[in-house]
Amino acid sequence: MAPLKTTGIDHLNLTVKSLAESTQFYQQLLGFDVLEDMPDLDGAIIGNEYAKLALYEDVGLKVSENNGFSHMSFHVDDFNDIIPLCESLGIDIKFDGVVQWPQSRSIYIEDPNGYEIELAEVWGGGL
């Protein structure tokens, strides 16, 4: 039997310290909309047609408990707008700014929960 054909990542499921703060962060940074509100689960699905996050609140979340998770990456069309937008939102940029890869550039930040986010200039790093 042949392996399944993967066409994309459906969503990432994240535990967050504050659903409201995390939702606002992703709305302001990436323009994500609330696609489904799930108050009975203290959660929501946010995103757009290209990327979705399922967020579930756990006010006792410990940032250091990432279970081997390194970061998530989003491709952005407007790469040159990242730094000014992050500065206007008070988001710190890691690694002293732009990281140059062989076929792309990336900027790394953290969300309010301590999850690292890579904002990439070229889809899939050009691979």
Side-chain angles (χ1 to χ4, degrees):
M1 179 177 273
L4 299 173
K5 180 182 176 193
T6 304
T7 59
I9 294 175
D10 185 78
H11 69 276
L12 297 174
N13 189 325
L14 301 176
T15 303
V16 299
K17 293 183 284 190
S18 166
L19 181 61
E21 181 181 21
S22 296
T23 300
Q24 180 181 13
F25 175 86
Y26 287 101
Q27 287 174 321
Q28 291 178 334
L29 180 68
L30 299 174
F32 280 5
D33 294 317
V34 174
L35 304 174
E36 183 178 351
D37 188 27
M38 300 177 291
D40 54 325
L41 298 173
D42 294 324
I45 297 175
I46 65 172
N48 60 28
E49 63 184 298
Y50 304 107
K52 293 171 183 56
L53 298 175
L55 305 178
Y56 296 94
E57 185 174 84
D58 176 357
V59 294
L61 176 70
K62 303 280 190 267
V63 174
S64 62
E65 295 177 6
N66 63 13
N67 295 319
F69 178 82
S70 177
H71 70 262
M72 60 186 137
S73 179
F74 296 97
H75 169 256
V76 295
D77 285 334
D78 40 5
F79 187 84
N80 292 327
D81 295 339
I82 296 170
I83 292 176
L85 177 60
C86 286
E87 288 173 347
S88 75
L89 296 173
I91 299 169
D92 293 330
I93 296 172
K94 300 177 73 172
F95 310 120
D96 297 321
V98 177
V99 175
Q100 182 66 55
W101 296 108
Q103 300 177 53
S104 182
R105 298 181 297 166
S106 296
I107 292 175
Y108 294 83
I109 61 172
E110 286 185 358
D111 84 349
N113 308 286
Y115 292 120
E116 185 175 273
I117 299 169
E118 174 186 6
L119 301 170
E121 178 182 37
V122 177
W123 182 261
L127 301 176

